[in-house]
Structure formats: C-alpha cells, structure tokens
Amino acid sequence: MKVAVVGATGLVGSVMLKVLAERNFPVTELIPVASEKSKGKEIDFMGKKYKVVTVDEAIALKPDVALFSAGGSTSLEQAPKFAAAGTTVIDNSSAWRMDPAKKLVVPEVNAGVLTADDKIIANPNCSTIQMVVVLKPLHEKYKIKRVVVSTYQSVTGTGVKAVEQLMNERSGIEGPMAYAYPIDLNVIPQIDVFTANGYTKEEMKMILETRKIMGDDAIRVTATTVRIPVMGGHSESVNIEFENDFDLADVRSLLEKQDGVIVTDDPANAKYPMPKDAHEKDEVFVGRIRRDESQDNTLNLWIVADNLRKGAATNAVQIAEYLVKNGILKADLVGSY
Ligand code: 2RA
C-alpha cells in the first residue's frame, strides 16, 4: 500500500512513521511529504531511505492513504486534492473535525461510522481521544449526563519550539518562547486562543468533539485545559455524572475490559497513572477511580495517555488499520492486526 505522511518531518509526523513501522502497517511504498524547504531530505523507514517530496509530487504518485499532520490550513487546501486523486486522507488537524459531512473517529469508540465514501477522515484532538476511550463503556452502561474535565497537558502538544523553551529554561538558557510566559516551574491555564465565551479553542474542542464522537449531543461537558512542564503525555481529572447510579466494582471491570485501556489503580500502594509511565505507549491509562461523595451518581477518574501516540499518531494509524481490516482500504499485504 502506498502511504503518504504529510508533515513527515514534524513532531507528530515522525511519530506516525514510528508507529506505522512498529505496528507493521502494510506499507509497500512510503511517500514522506513536507514543505518545499524540506524537499529532498532523506527519511529512514523500515531499513529503506526515502526522499521528502512536495504535496504536488505526492498527489501525482496517487497514494492509497495519506496521514496528515501539517496544520489546518494545509489540510483545508491539500486534503481535497488528495481525495480527488483517490487517496483516503486521515487528518490530525482540527480543519475537518466539526464538518458535519466528515467523520471524527476514535476506533475504540465509533469506527463503525466509517464507510468507503469517507475520503477525508478527521482524527480528534489528543485531549479528547484519551477521554472518550474511557467514557465509551461507562456511557453505554450508565448513560452520562455531564462531564467536568481539567487537563494537565504536556508541552509536546504545542510542538518542538515549546519543548525547546522548557529545556532552555531548565538549563538557564535564553531562547525563543513558544508561550507568552515561562513554562518551567509554572502552569499556563490557556491552550490555544480564547473564544467569545471565555473558553479557549482547546476547551471547546473537548466539549464539541466529545459529543460528536459519542454520538450524543445530550452529554453536557465543561473543560479547563492547562499547560504544564511535562514531556510524557497529557493527564486529565475527569468528573462524570450519570443518569443512573453505578456500582464501583462494575465501573472498574468495564474499564479493565475496554479496548485500549489499562487500569492502574492501587492507592494503598501509590499506584496510579503518570505521564512518565504513558510515554511511548499506545494505551490510555486510568486510575484514582472513586465515587464523588459530594454528589449522587457521580464518579472521579484520572486519565493519562501519550498525546503524540494515542492522542495523535497511533489513533490515525488505527483508523487506517480499521479501514484495511474491514476491506474499505485494499492492502497488497494485510498485516497481522
Ligand atoms: C495541545 N491538544 O496539546 C493540543 C494540540 N496538540 O496543544
């Protein structure tokens, strides 16, 4: 299968390449795509060297699937051109996520909505992905009424410049600022820009994307998203009010059975998920499972995942795997997944 990775030289793009190789996705030809300034740069992939090409050169090669992580404006402009050439696009930007004609997919939650007509598929926001994987079995059993989420998000969610700012600050080096404020020994309660209602775009993504992926606009969500000086992944404190009462042991059992979830919850032995444990992993880690004693039918959880993997690259590759496994994308060699 001819696979293009658009934004191959970026942080998420490089993780996409890593995940494609690790999961033995049936790539017969890789087409790494980046801007003109990176054209000709060599990329190592599964023991072969590939030269970075431009978008137009990639479209002409007619890839079967194109994984995009190149920003919203590039996706809005270029994804339709790939789709018109017959390529199935899986886009990690926010460009298509709330388009009513486009599917927004987390395979463990709603892969069933996908059909062969879907030529541009949206990959959700990282902080949304890790939360809905956990909400899915609980909503099915106990019907979620309201979610209150506070996030603690890694600087890797911003990109290389933010990681460099943190490392420079740690070393006492003056350097370019990705944020308006220092991030080391600090937290910044703003991710992306503010909207008219006082929420940031990141918070509105969590609110709106959750309802679309869960297929239930009745679910009420409020979010506060915060940037913290951490590398391994995003953490979230999630408070869930259900329509119905729940059994705590059953909640734990549902989470332990959920695809893609690992329950790490043993407070007596100080066992709970942390970004350092989620780093480089594809699963979503859940702990601190406890009843909210201040309100009936309400549960508290702590959710951690690597935002570059399950929060971006792995989720995109898993969508492609689903398409191949279900015959929507034809692969020369179907991998063993
Ligand atoms: C962030 N979720 O963490 C956003 C985009 N990756 O910055």
Side-chain angles (χ1 to χ4, degrees):
M1 184 181 289
K2 275 191 198 176
V3 178
V5 175
V6 182
T9 58
L11 204 50
V12 171
S14 58
V15 177
M16 283 175 168
L17 293 171
K18 193 172 174 184
V19 171
L20 284 166
E22 279 178 12
R23 296 175 72 96
N24 190 29
F25 190 78
V27 181
T28 51
E29 181 185 342
L30 177 76
I31 305 170
V33 189
S35 60
E36 280 289 343
K37 70 177 175 26
S38 299
K39 181 180 175 176
K41 188 176 172 185
E42 276 201 342
I43 297 265
D44 282 315
F45 179 74
M46 298 191 81
K48 283 176 72 176
K49 291 195 181 302
Y50 294 87
K51 285 196 184 300
V52 172
V53 300
T54 64
V55 167
D56 291 340
E57 289 166 331
I59 294 169
L61 291 168
K62 294 186 179 300
D64 300 292
V65 63
L67 304 183
F68 265 63
S69 190
S73 53
T74 298
S75 183
L76 282 172
E77 184 185 350
Q78 305 297 353
K81 294 178 189 171
F82 275 94
T87 302
T88 296
V89 173
I90 301 169
D91 176 45
N92 191 50
S93 81
S94 57
W96 306 99
R97 290 176 185 160
M98 298 317 293
D99 181 326
K102 300 291 185 294
K103 306 293 172 54
L104 181 65
V105 175
V106 177
E108 297 89 338
V109 180
N110 67 335
V113 300
L114 289 168
T115 73
D117 296 334
D118 297 309
K119 300 306 286 179
I120 298 177
I121 301 163
N123 206 43
N125 189 43
C126 42
S127 48
T128 307
I129 290 173
Q130 66 185 71
M131 186 170 78
V132 296
V133 172
V134 173
L135 296 184
K136 166 78 173 176
L138 305 181
H139 185 53
E140 283 180 338
K141 180 75 178 283
Y142 295 111
K143 195 163 173 44
I144 293 173
K145 194 173 171 184
R146 181 175 183 247
V147 177
V148 181
V149 53
S150 299
T151 73
Y152 309 78
Q153 297 182 222
S154 164
V155 292
T156 57
T158 306
V160 174
K161 196 176 167 193
V163 173
E164 285 171 357
Q165 177 185 333
L166 174 59
M167 295 307 149
N168 285 341
E169 288 173 357
R170 287 262 161 95
S171 314
I173 299 167
E174 283 292 312
M177 297 282 281
Y179 304 115
Y181 304 101
I183 185 63
D184 192 27
L185 305 176
N186 192 20
V187 295
I188 301 175
Q190 176 187 354
I191 296 178
D192 209 327
V193 297
F194 281 100
T195 61
N197 65 357
Y199 284 71
T200 61
K201 273 191 171 179
E202 183 78 359
E203 289 157 354
M204 292 313 298
K205 286 174 186 175
M206 292 199 79
I207 293 166
L208 299 172
E209 291 178 20
T210 297
R211 290 182 189 146
K212 181 170 179 179
I213 297 161
M214 300 291 286
D216 187 345
D217 283 346
I219 297 176
R220 298 180 3 237
V221 183
T222 191
T224 302
T225 59
V226 179
R227 188 72 67 195
I228 63 170
V230 148
M231 292 291 287
H234 291 348
S235 304
E236 300 175 347
S237 172
V238 184
N239 178 277
I240 309 167
E241 181 186 2
F242 298 98
E243 294 287 355
N244 312 301
D245 195 9
F246 57 85
D247 172 86
L248 205 52
D250 183 50
V251 163
R252 183 185 302 275
S253 167
L254 288 168
L255 293 175
E256 282 165 350
K257 291 181 191 136
Q258 171 65 356
D259 279 350
V261 169
I262 291 179
V263 173
T264 309
D265 188 44
D266 179 8
N269 294 298
K271 297 294 181 203
Y272 32 73
M274 293 179 278
K276 71 175 186 58
D277 305 320
H279 186 42
E280 298 279 311
K281 303 278 192 342
D282 289 332
E283 292 81 8
V284 174
F285 297 82
V286 187
R288 302 298 320 280
I289 303 169
R290 64 201 190 284
R291 192 175 283 278
D292 174 351
E293 295 178 347
S294 71
Q295 180 173 277
D296 292 344
N297 306 341
T298 307
L299 177 72
N300 286 322
L301 297 175
W302 177 255
I303 303 172
V304 179
D306 184 325
N307 54 293
L308 295 179
R309 289 184 72 105
K310 183 53 187 173
T314 304
N315 196 72
V317 173
Q318 287 172 330
I319 292 171
E321 287 172 350
Y322 176 89
L323 296 174
V324 172
K325 209 170 188 176
N326 290 275
I328 298 173
L329 260 182
K330 302 289 176 267
D332 313 339
L333 293 169
V334 180
S336 56
Y337 33 77

Coordinates of all heavy atoms in Angstrom, one line a residue, residues 2-6 8 27 29-33 50-51 53-54 57-59 61-64:
K2 N 0.5 2.2 -0.9 CA 1.3 3.5 -0.9 C 0.8 4.4 0.2 O -0.4 4.7 0.2 CB 1.0 4.1 -2.3 CG 1.9 3.7 -3.4 CD 1.7 4.7 -4.6 CE 2.2 4.1 -5.9 NZ 1.9 5.0 -7.0
V3 N 1.7 4.7 1.1 CA 1.2 5.6 2.2 C 2.0 6.9 2.2 O 3.2 6.9 2.3 CB 1.5 4.8 3.6 CG1 1.1 5.7 4.8 CG2 0.7 3.5 3.6
A4 N 1.3 8.0 2.2 CA 1.9 9.3 2.3 C 1.8 9.8 3.8 O 0.7 9.5 4.4 CB 1.2 10.3 1.4
V5 N 2.8 10.4 4.3 CA 2.7 11.1 5.6 C 3.0 12.5 5.3 O 4.2 12.9 5.0 CB 3.7 10.5 6.6 CG1 3.7 11.3 7.9 CG2 3.4 9.0 6.9
V6 N 2.0 13.4 5.4 CA 2.1 14.8 5.1 C 2.4 15.5 6.4 O 1.6 15.5 7.3 CB 0.8 15.3 4.5 CG1 0.9 16.8 4.1 CG2 0.4 14.5 3.2
A8 N 5.8 14.9 7.5 CA 6.6 13.8 7.9 C 7.8 14.3 8.8 O 8.3 13.5 9.5 CB 7.1 13.0 6.7
V27 N 2.8 -1.2 4.4 CA 3.4 -0.1 3.6 C 4.3 -0.7 2.5 O 5.3 -1.3 2.8 CB 4.2 0.9 4.4 CG1 4.7 2.0 3.5 CG2 3.4 1.5 5.5
E29 N 5.1 1.3 -0.2 CA 5.8 2.5 -0.6 C 5.5 3.6 0.3 O 4.3 4.0 0.4 CB 5.5 2.8 -2.1 CG 6.3 4.0 -2.6 CD 5.9 4.5 -4.0 OE1 5.3 3.7 -4.7 OE2 6.2 5.6 -4.4
L30 N 6.5 4.2 0.9 CA 6.3 5.4 1.7 C 6.5 6.7 0.9 O 7.4 6.7 0.1 CB 7.3 5.4 2.9 CG 7.1 6.6 3.8 CD1 5.9 6.5 4.7 CD2 8.4 6.8 4.7
I31 N 5.6 7.6 1.1 CA 5.8 8.9 0.5 C 5.8 10.0 1.5 O 4.8 10.5 2.0 CB 4.6 9.2 -0.5 CG1 4.5 8.0 -1.5 CG2 4.8 10.5 -1.2 CD1 3.2 8.1 -2.3
P32 N 7.1 10.3 2.0 CA 7.2 11.4 3.1 C 7.0 12.8 2.4 O 7.6 13.1 1.4 CB 8.6 11.2 3.6 CG 9.3 10.5 2.6 CD 8.4 9.8 1.7
V33 N 6.1 13.6 3.0 CA 5.7 14.9 2.4 C 6.0 16.0 3.4 O 5.7 15.8 4.5 CB 4.2 14.9 2.0 CG1 3.9 16.2 1.1 CG2 3.9 13.7 1.2
Y50 N 14.0 7.2 2.0 CA 13.0 7.8 1.2 C 13.3 9.3 1.1 O 13.7 9.9 2.2 CB 11.6 7.6 1.7 CG 11.1 6.2 1.6 CD1 11.4 5.3 2.7 CD2 10.5 5.7 0.5 CE1 11.0 4.0 2.6 CE2 10.0 4.3 0.4 CZ 10.3 3.5 1.5 OH 9.9 2.2 1.5
K51 N 13.1 10.0 0.0 CA 13.4 11.4 -0.1 C 12.0 12.1 0.1 O 11.0 11.7 -0.5 CB 14.0 11.8 -1.4 CG 15.5 11.4 -1.6 CD 16.1 12.2 -2.7 CE 17.5 11.8 -3.0 NZ 18.4 12.1 -1.8
V53 N 9.1 14.6 -0.5 CA 8.6 15.3 -1.7 C 7.6 16.4 -1.3 O 7.2 16.5 -0.2 CB 8.0 14.2 -2.6 CG1 8.9 13.1 -3.0 CG2 6.7 13.6 -1.9
T54 N 7.3 17.1 -2.3 CA 6.3 18.2 -2.1 C 4.9 17.6 -2.2 O 4.7 16.5 -2.6 CB 6.4 19.3 -3.1 OG1 6.1 18.7 -4.4 CG2 7.8 19.9 -3.1
E57 N 3.9 16.7 -5.8 CA 4.6 15.4 -6.2 C 3.9 14.2 -5.6 O 3.7 13.2 -6.2 CB 6.1 15.5 -5.8 CG 6.9 16.5 -6.6 CD 8.3 16.8 -6.0 OE1 8.4 16.7 -4.8 OE2 9.2 17.1 -6.8
A58 N 3.5 14.4 -4.3 CA 2.9 13.2 -3.6 C 1.5 12.9 -4.2 O 1.2 11.7 -4.5 CB 2.7 13.6 -2.1
I59 N 0.7 14.0 -4.6 CA -0.6 13.7 -5.2 C -0.5 13.0 -6.5 O -1.2 12.0 -6.8 CB -1.4 15.1 -5.4 CG1 -1.7 15.7 -4.0 CG2 -2.6 14.9 -6.2 CD1 -2.2 17.1 -4.1
L61 N 1.7 10.9 -7.3 CA 2.0 9.4 -7.0 C 0.8 8.6 -6.6 O 0.9 7.4 -6.4 CB 3.1 9.4 -5.9 CG 4.5 9.9 -6.4 CD1 5.4 10.1 -5.1 CD2 5.1 9.0 -7.4
K62 N -0.4 9.3 -6.4 CA -1.6 8.6 -6.0 C -1.5 7.6 -4.9 O -1.7 6.4 -5.1 CB -2.2 7.9 -7.3 CG -2.7 8.9 -8.4 CD -3.4 8.1 -9.5 CE -3.8 9.1 -10.6 NZ -4.8 10.1 -10.1
P63 N -1.1 8.1 -3.7 CA -1.1 7.2 -2.5 C -2.4 6.6 -2.2 O -3.5 7.2 -2.5 CB -0.6 8.1 -1.4 CG -0.8 9.5 -1.8 CD -0.8 9.5 -3.3
D64 N -2.5 5.4 -1.6 CA -3.7 4.8 -1.2 C -4.3 5.6 0.0 O -5.5 5.8 0.2 CB -3.5 3.4 -0.8 CG -3.0 2.6 -2.0 OD1 -3.7 2.4 -3.0 OD2 -1.8 2.2 -2.0

